[in-house]
Amino acid sequence: MSAALSDARAPTIEVSVVLPCLNEADTLASCIRKAQDGLARTGIFGEIIVADNGSTDRSVEIARGLGAIVVDVPERGYGNALMKGIERSRGRFVVMGDADDSYDFGEIPRFVEKLRDGHELVQGCRLPSGGGMVHAGAMPFWHRWLGNPLLSLIARTWFRTQLHDVYCGMRAFTRELYDRLDLRCTGMEYATEMIIKASFAGARTAEIPITLHPDGRRSHPGHLRTFRDGWRTLRLFLLYSPTWLFLVPGGLLAGAGLVGYALAMPGAVIGGARLDAHTLMVASLAVICGYQSALFAVFTKTFAVAEGLLPTDDGSRMFSSFNLERGLVGGLVALASGLLLIAFAAYDWTTTGFGPLDYGYTMRWVIPGVTLAVIGFQTVLASFFLSILGMRRR
């Protein structure tokens, strides 16, 4: 029988189990055997891929000895390892999980069942809030009671995902969804990027409770670094949500500045203190900084859309509201208005023969004038920059 005919008659691989690996000789064999048992017990035809990230112990030898496919990934990083392993996979479904024996790969059939039911992403949940269980010593105190719940809450609030444990490393997804998400992160934040982009893509998700067991490694500690990886995840959340990072704080700051204007322009007295020109200057600072922050939110989202990090629909709405022509008109109007106010103050100065001025009165023209001129000039430059960012998309 020819090799081509033999390949044609071979059963199609349904599930690819991908294990990222970096010196996991203590636990890799146990993980592979559990995965093999989980597949065989329910008749799932699959493959096990070990994405080796430069192990110097016996991990590669152990994996090959147990029949797993080994993919060499020289570029360090959790995300890099998973990306290369998934690229090599041939299954319609992919199951990923850490190779430290903290997850029970015998539960693979539960994930596959959800995928067969039509879900595109099935996330494991270790936290009690989602029905999961964490054995004693399996998760550090701060991770269990602060880090994971807080990051998951942020994800549910900002990205409208319903998952309770976004950091869980054991999950399953369709290869079609994975290819559509176009993930970019190379480190530990890879797992949370998948959750965010799946939410943006409107993927059908499900969550199943699982049990987290203590890390089985003895030769070295875990690869997760609490503060470094926690910050990188939070940074990822912020970069994927410029609304919360720049727009909302900028709007609040500018709003506070406008309140300062409303009180200082008429010289309001609060608690015996009269708000005057100095209050106007501080209020102007708040308005300018807040406006700059809002502009940066637009820049960030525009770039993210152009690079495929955020949905295209967001970019379409953005370009319909912020285009070069409207920005130029608005900016030039603000700039001209500011210069007009400054000119009026200069004219008032000439009436005194360029002598002393009533600063409490004059600065009520100069400060708003300078503020409007700055905002107008910023708007003109921002409009050109946005047009440049959007050229490739048009």
Side-chain angles (χ1 to χ4, degrees), residues 49-93:
I49 298 173
V50 174
D52 186 69
N53 211 193
S55 296
T56 55
D57 60 6
R58 296 182 57 250
S59 295
V60 172
E61 178 185 344
I62 291 170
R64 288 182 174 144
L66 291 172
I69 300 169
V70 176
V71 177
D72 179 45
V73 187
E75 301 86 1
R76 287 295 179 94
Y78 177 75
N80 275 326
L82 283 168
M83 282 190 278
K84 294 298 183 183
I86 295 171
E87 286 175 10
R88 172 62 177 78
S89 68
R90 295 171 291 170
R92 184 162 64 99
F93 303 139

Side-chain angles (χ1 to χ4, degrees), residues 20-24 51-55 57 59 76 217 220 223:
C21 175
L22 176 59
N23 295 324
E24 314 291 3
D52 186 69
N53 211 193
S55 296
D57 60 6
S59 295
R76 287 295 179 94
R217 292 171 293 198
H220 63 84
H223 302 300

Side-chain angles (χ1 to χ4, degrees), residues 78-389:
Y78 177 75
N80 275 326
L82 283 168
M83 282 190 278
K84 294 298 183 183
I86 295 171
E87 286 175 10
R88 172 62 177 78
S89 68
R90 295 171 291 170
R92 184 162 64 99
F93 303 139
V94 177
V95 177
M96 59 176 259
D98 301 338
D100 58 4
D101 212 19
S102 60
Y103 298 119
D104 182 2
F105 287 96
E107 297 192 83
I108 288 176
R110 297 174 60 206
F111 287 83
V112 175
E113 182 181 356
K114 290 287 187 181
L115 293 173
R116 287 173 175 171
D117 287 342
H119 294 93
E120 297 174 282
L121 172 65
V122 183
Q123 175 78 358
C125 180
R126 307 160 295 177
L127 303 179
S129 58
M133 178 182 295
V134 179
H135 282 182
M139 186 183 295
F141 177 86
W142 293 111
H143 293 195
R144 180 175 180 178
W145 300 110
L146 180 61
N148 284 341
L150 178 59
L151 292 172
S152 297
L153 176 62
I154 293 174
R156 289 196 301 274
T157 304
W158 291 6
F159 307 109
R160 299 181 181 178
T161 178
Q162 302 303 313
L163 304 176
H164 293 82
D165 186 8
V166 298
Y167 234 125
C168 181
M170 187 173 186
R171 64 187 61 171
F173 43 88
T174 66
R175 179 61 190 268
E176 187 278 331
L177 173 66
Y178 175 81
D179 292 337
R180 186 154 43 101
L181 295 183
D182 187 25
L183 303 179
R184 307 292 183 88
C185 292
T186 60
M188 285 292 182
E189 67 273 26
Y190 174 89
T192 44
E193 182 193 15
M194 181 184 294
I195 300 298
I196 294 171
K197 298 192 79 170
S199 178
F200 287 154
R204 296 183 298 277
T205 61
E207 189 173 50
I208 59 176
I210 63 172
T211 299
L212 183 69
H213 303 270
D215 187 333
R217 292 171 293 198
R218 296 292 178 268
S219 58
H220 63 84
H223 302 300
L224 184 67
R225 297 293 179 265
T226 300
F227 295 104
R228 182 199 66 183
D229 294 319
W231 161 242
R232 290 177 70 170
T233 298
L234 182 58
R235 181 183 65 183
L236 180 74
F237 285 174
L238 293 171
L239 292 177
Y240 269 96
S241 184
T243 297
W244 289 98
L245 179 58
F246 301 116
L247 186 59
V248 172
L252 292 174
L253 188 58
L258 292 175
V259 170
Y261 260 79
L263 294 173
M265 285 296 285
V269 178
I270 299 178
R274 185 172 184 271
L275 305 183
D276 210 322
H278 296 87
T279 305
L280 277 180
M281 293 182 67
V282 175
S284 290
L285 176 64
V287 170
I288 292 170
C289 291
Y291 184 69
Q292 183 62 54
S293 181
L295 282 179
F296 203 75
V298 178
F299 296 155
T300 304
K301 183 164 282 191
T302 303
F303 176 79
V305 169
E307 292 298 313
L309 302 176
L310 291 176
T312 304
D313 288 347
D314 288 358
S316 300
R317 289 194 292 270
M318 188 185 313
F319 278 111
S320 66
S321 301
F322 299 92
N323 56 35
L324 177 60
E325 293 75 17
R326 291 180 182 177
L328 287 178
V329 171
L332 290 174
V333 168
L335 178 59
S337 300
L339 294 177
L340 186 62
L341 291 175
I342 295 172
F344 181 85
Y347 172 77
D348 189 56
W349 190 25
T350 64
T351 62
T352 67
F354 300 104
L357 291 170
D358 180 357
Y359 287 104
Y361 171 79
T362 307
M363 295 303 282
R364 281 174 166 75
W365 295 95
V366 174
I367 293 175
V370 170
T371 302
L372 279 172
V374 169
I375 288 177
F377 190 67
Q378 282 182 311
T379 303
V380 170
L381 295 182
S383 300
F384 279 110
F385 186 56
L386 278 172
S387 182
I388 293 170
L389 285 179

